[in-house]
Amino acid sequence: MSVRIYNETQLDYIRQAGTILHETLEMLQTHIVSGVKTKELDRLAEEFIKKNNADAPCKGYKGYPASICSSINEELIHGIPSNRKISNGDIISIDIVVRYKDYHADATRSFIVGSTEEKNKKLLEVAEKSFFEGIKYARENFYISDISKSIQQYVEQNGFSVIRDFVGHGVGRNMHEEPEIPNFFNGTKGTRLQKGMVLAIEPMIAEGKPEIKVMPDGWTIVMKDSKNSAHYENTIIITDKEAEIVT
Ligand code: MF3
Ligand code: CO
């Protein structure tokens, strides 16, 4: 398989999925308050997505039991919503995939519950800003590694580390497609970007060392050193100008 190029009709479905996903995250943000169970966030997201004639394909994906991923503090990704209540000072990353007419969009935001220390705010800010550093190169005739290098450089220059074990990806007809989009330079140039490609670019960064481990639930990925992590992700379309962010 190679990297798919989407036509305007297909891109419109992806844009629609992206709009629903963006609105879902906005709705959830108002519920990110101390004492709320992550299960409740999952329920609210699922209900909102379904009301918009779309669905959340994470549920059932390789047996994953929920519609969203909610990862708290040292949990990096794929945290399963549960009866755990979020509390003041927590960093919670909400990762959602929306499918609309068989086309997908994927996005993540990290939020602070209530108030927190300056260094946690910085961690979130660097995750978000590194995405925007990366997409400066998400243009026709640049390479995936141009995006990767830019993200890595920005994160490391701000004193944080980038995770090596998980990467961004193509998205569209499927939740995960080629190419892989590392948040670090892995020694290869990678795919040359062309108009009509759709990419999920998702810096995953840590306060401490980049090593991760899988929890016994088989899903939750946590930082080995138990330090905080943050994740920021959008789905973008490569155009003949700047990348178009659909989420
Ligand atoms: N956005 C997540 C990812 O790209 C989707 C996870 S769905 C799950 O890994 F089922 F694996 F949770
Ligand atoms: Co993703």
Side-chain angles (χ1 to χ4, degrees):
M1 265 301 291
S2 54
V3 179
R4 283 196 170 93
I5 304 291
Y6 291 94
N7 65 37
E8 271 306 310
T9 310
Q10 296 170 316
L11 291 175
D12 275 338
Y13 291 145
I14 294 167
R15 288 182 181 107
Q16 189 61 32
T19 300
I20 296 166
L21 175 36
H22 183 89
E23 289 172 357
T24 306
L25 286 164
E26 273 188 342
M27 178 278 297
L28 284 181
Q29 182 163 22
T30 67
H31 294 272
I32 307 283
V33 286
S34 183
V36 172
K37 290 177 179 171
T38 50
K39 245 187 180 170
E40 175 65 3
L41 299 174
D42 184 62
R43 190 189 66 75
L44 286 163
E46 183 176 318
E47 190 179 282
F48 186 89
I49 293 164
K50 288 195 172 151
K51 248 194 341 220
N52 282 281
N53 305 312
D55 74 331
C58 283
K59 198 172 214 168
Y61 177 79
K62 297 183 181 168
Y64 186 75
S67 296
I68 68 171
C69 298
S70 55
S71 309
I72 301 172
N73 300 333
E74 77 283 2
E75 296 174 353
L76 174 71
I77 51 169
H78 301 168
I80 304 173
S82 70
N83 285 320
R84 176 170 177 181
K85 292 175 176 167
I86 52 177
S87 47
N88 189 55
D90 281 346
I91 297 172
I92 180 169
S93 303
I94 308 274
D95 187 351
I96 308 180
V97 179
V98 168
R99 176 169 55 201
Y100 179 76
K101 294 198 192 293
D102 284 330
Y103 289 86
H104 299 72
D106 187 356
T108 306
R109 296 287 182 276
S110 293
F111 304 100
I112 303 276
V113 183
S115 57
T116 189
E117 303 156 62
E118 212 42 55
K119 72 170 167 79
N120 291 334
K121 290 190 203 157
K122 180 84 191 291
L123 183 65
L124 265 60
E125 183 189 306
V126 170
E128 176 170 345
K129 285 198 175 157
S130 70
F131 166 86
F132 289 95
E133 289 300 312
I135 65 160
K136 287 180 182 168
Y137 300 92
R139 299 177 74 115
E140 273 188 310
N141 300 326
F142 284 88
Y143 290 82
I144 289 294
S145 55
D146 296 320
I147 300 173
S148 305
K149 283 178 191 167
S150 177
I151 292 172
Q152 177 175 26
Q153 189 189 3
Y154 185 79
V155 172
E156 292 179 349
Q157 142 192 316
N158 279 282
F160 298 125
S161 61
V162 294
I163 277 62
R164 307 306 205 254
D165 299 77
F166 295 90
V167 296
H169 50 90
V171 60
R173 193 62 182 79
N174 295 104
M175 178 159 50
H176 297 130
E177 296 182 358
E178 287 182 43
E180 289 197 342
I181 309 168
N183 297 305
F184 58 97
F185 180 55
N186 69 1
T188 60
K189 219 168 166 187
T191 302
R192 190 161 78 125
L193 300 174
Q194 289 173 53
K195 186 176 177 221
M197 288 181 177
V198 181
L199 308 175
I201 298 179
E202 48 179 323
M204 288 163 261
I205 76 170
E207 185 193 345
K209 297 209 164 71
E211 283 75 32
I212 53 96
K213 64 179 184 187
V214 187
M215 292 303 276
D217 64 19
W219 281 103
T220 313
I221 305 298
V222 302
M223 301 316 301
K224 243 185 198 164
D225 62 10
S226 297
K227 293 202 175 162
N228 283 336
S229 60
H231 183 192
Y232 183 90
E233 173 180 29
N234 282 310
T235 295
I236 67 156
I237 299 171
I238 304 296
T239 72
D240 52 14
K241 301 190 227 29
E242 282 180 8
E244 176 188 343
I245 301 174
V246 303
T247 42

